[in-house]
């Protein structure tokens, strides 16, 4: 793997059933959302509705596991939902899923269809290794509030993704910072698919394989590697 990703022992102890699949891609071609990615998001919402059978997303066993984990590190899951639950809620609403850009639409579709948190980071803006750790509370998280850049700090004990510069995603997979976000200029990316027990490892592997197929479809010629679950 060209980019090193590690999960701290503290996080493993907090969530022993945690598994993640990494998809690395170079030579991507991004751009505005298209009719094809819009259709992909609509189909993902349909697959989600079939999966839930009328239940709200938080009643799904996988989403319930994420809520328990969020509570374990001091977050309130009904107020700060994991990314998959938040997307699923939007997918089932009248407003539907947002259209962002091709790459974000693709990984959001996988997240919704499989009900699994998926994130995408621009590797050209990552500094050093990526680590999933429990925060000290002193780390910088650069975000935007009221149209202006601002610096926040995670709560002590909060689970965060970070690199050498600072936090890239707060509360595990709740809010990504703009520094590493995938834009229409992004050509290299790392995608993280994150699961907890009771989701079978085979299910997150299947989601990763589907993501890789879609990336190849929308970026012919891209170099894509799916890494084994860890």
């Amino acid at each position: 793997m060209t980019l090193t990703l590690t999960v701290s022992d503290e996080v493993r102890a907090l969530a022993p059933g945690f598994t993640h699949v990494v998809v690395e891609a170079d030579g991507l071609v991004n751009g505005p959302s298209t009719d094809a990615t819009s259709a992909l998001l609509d189909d993902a919402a349909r697959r989600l509705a079939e999966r839930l059978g009328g239940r709200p997303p938080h009643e799904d066993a996988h989403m319930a596991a994420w809520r328990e984990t969020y509570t374990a590190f001091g977050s309130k899951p009904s107020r700060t939902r994991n990314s998959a639950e938040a997307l699923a809620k939007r997918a089932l609403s009248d407003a539907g899923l947002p259209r962002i850009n091709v790459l974000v639409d693709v990984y959001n579709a996988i997240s919704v269809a499989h009900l699994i948190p998926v994130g995408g980071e621009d590797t050209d803006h990552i500094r050093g290794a990526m680590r999933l750790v429990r925060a000290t509370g002193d780390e910088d998280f650069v975000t935007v509030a009221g149209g202006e850049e601002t610096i926040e700090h995670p709560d002590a004990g909060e689970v965060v993704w970070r690199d050498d510069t600072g936090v890239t995603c707060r509360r595990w997979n709740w809010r990504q910072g703009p520094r590493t976000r995938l834009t229409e200029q992004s050509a290299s990316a790392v995608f993280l698919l994150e699961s907890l027990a009771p989701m079978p490892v085979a299910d997150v592997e299947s989601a990763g394989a589907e993501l890789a197929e879609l990336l190849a479809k929308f970026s012919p010629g891209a170099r894509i590697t799916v890494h084994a679950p860890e």
Side-chain angles (χ1 to χ4, degrees):
M1 188 183 298
T2 56
L3 176 69
T4 302
L5 290 93
T6 58
V7 179
S8 73
D9 291 342
E10 286 185 316
V11 173
R12 292 289 187 192
L14 178 75
F18 175 62
T19 301
H20 68 282
V21 166
V22 177
V23 179
E24 281 191 289
D26 293 300
L28 295 166
V29 179
N30 202 8
S33 301
T34 65
D35 289 345
T37 62
S38 184
L40 193 66
L41 290 166
D42 288 340
D43 183 63
R46 178 193 59 77
R47 290 167 65 182
L48 172 68
E50 288 182 357
R51 179 192 189 103
L52 292 173
R55 295 174 298 146
H58 69 265
E59 289 187 5
D60 176 85
H62 190 214
M63 295 299 94
W66 276 106
R67 284 194 166 214
E68 290 175 8
T69 300
Y70 268 47
T71 300
F73 66 77
S75 185
K76 295 181 179 179
S78 60
R79 193 170 67 188
T80 54
R81 297 177 177 87
N82 76 80
S83 64
E85 184 183 332
L87 270 180
K89 189 175 175 64
R90 293 194 67 172
L92 298 173
S93 71
D94 292 339
L97 289 164
R99 274 59 173 164
I100 308 297
N101 58 54
V102 169
L103 292 178
V104 176
D105 289 354
V106 166
Y107 81 70
N108 278 350
I110 293 297
S111 176
V112 169
H114 292 267
L115 204 51
I116 181 172
V118 182
E121 307 278 353
D122 189 323
T123 50
D124 289 334
H125 295 283
I126 294 171
R127 299 293 173 256
M130 287 187 66
R131 290 97 74 189
L132 186 65
V133 300
R134 300 199 71 173
T136 63
D138 297 326
E139 300 89 346
D140 286 345
F141 177 70
V142 180
T143 186
V144 176
E148 295 187 2
E149 186 175 284
T150 185
I151 296 177
E152 297 177 354
H153 302 285
D155 299 327
E158 181 182 323
V159 177
V160 298
W161 278 103
R162 66 158 302 163
D163 64 3
D164 288 353
T165 298
V167 173
T168 57
C169 194
R170 285 198 60 188
R171 294 186 181 132
W172 206 314
N173 47 43
W174 168 65
R175 177 178 291 170
Q176 182 186 31
R179 174 168 60 90
T180 58
R181 192 173 292 160
L182 295 177
T183 69
E184 293 181 17
Q185 289 71 47
S186 298
S188 298
V190 58
F191 300 89
L192 294 165
L193 298 89
E194 302 179 305
S195 70
L196 295 171
M199 175 172 272
V201 174
D203 286 4
V204 67
E205 286 183 294
S206 176
E210 186 177 348
L211 174 58
E213 289 174 5
L214 288 172
L215 292 173
K217 174 184 176 181
F218 285 96
S219 291
R223 299 174 298 282
I224 301 166
T225 304
V226 182
H227 298 276
E230 292 185 22

